[in-house]
Amino acid sequence: QVQLVESGGGLVQAGDSLRLSCAASGLIFSSYHMAWFRQAPGKEREFVAAISWFGGRTDYADSVKGRFTISRDNAKKAVYLLVNSLKPQDTAVYYCAATQTRYPSGPYDYWGQGTQVTVSS
């Protein structure tokens, strides 16, 4: 059974940083491209960042370029999202996802339950 479990979210102030983590189990982690998505209240889920199998390629949404950094540790079966210079508009539930198909568009086969990030102004 594949499980993706996110952690690291919280309530922070604008300008703060967080490190989101996603622990994977039940899959051959290094054979999956990984990504982070987010969904703000009343909005559709949107792509945030992706990282290829061994981390050789990363991609970001324009809204987070230069502020967010995605990384992975295949030995630990984990993917991370370092989020800097947080803005109130970054408030959302952040999800990690895994795909074995086309990078970075997916489709994504597995999803975590999400971790809430709330940024106060």
Side-chain angles (χ1 to χ4, degrees):
Q1 180 182 359
V2 175
Q3 283 192 314
L4 301 176
V5 180
E6 301 95 334
S7 61
L11 173 62
V12 297
Q13 293 187 333
D16 284 351
S17 299
L18 284 173
R19 188 193 192 210
L20 307 183
S21 299
C22 173
S25 61
L27 75 171
I28 302 174
F29 187 70
S30 59
S31 70
Y32 285 80
H33 307 304
M34 300 297 295
W36 288 93
F37 291 77
R38 67 185 181 186
Q39 187 167 20
K43 295 187 177 181
E44 293 189 352
R45 186 170 59 196
E46 64 175 356
F47 169 81
V48 175
I51 187 166
S52 59
W53 295 316
F54 293 97
R57 180 177 169 184
T58 57
D59 289 86
Y60 298 91
D62 289 342
S63 59
V64 307
K65 279 182 182 176
R67 298 190 299 123
F68 289 14
T69 303
I70 189 171
S71 62
R72 66 188 295 161
D73 186 333
N74 286 350
K76 295 183 178 180
K77 295 185 178 181
V79 61
Y80 308 101
L81 187 68
L82 178 62
V83 296
N84 293 322
S85 304
L86 281 162
K87 305 175 182 180
Q89 52 265 45
D90 294 320
T91 294
V93 178
Y94 285 71
Y95 300 90
C96 71
T99 181
Q100 283 189 306
T101 54
R102 181 175 298 178
Y103 172 88
S105 59
Y108 285 82
D109 306 298
Y110 302 105
W111 295 82
Q113 84 290 345
T115 186
Q116 176 72 48
V117 173
T118 303
V119 185
S120 63
S121 57

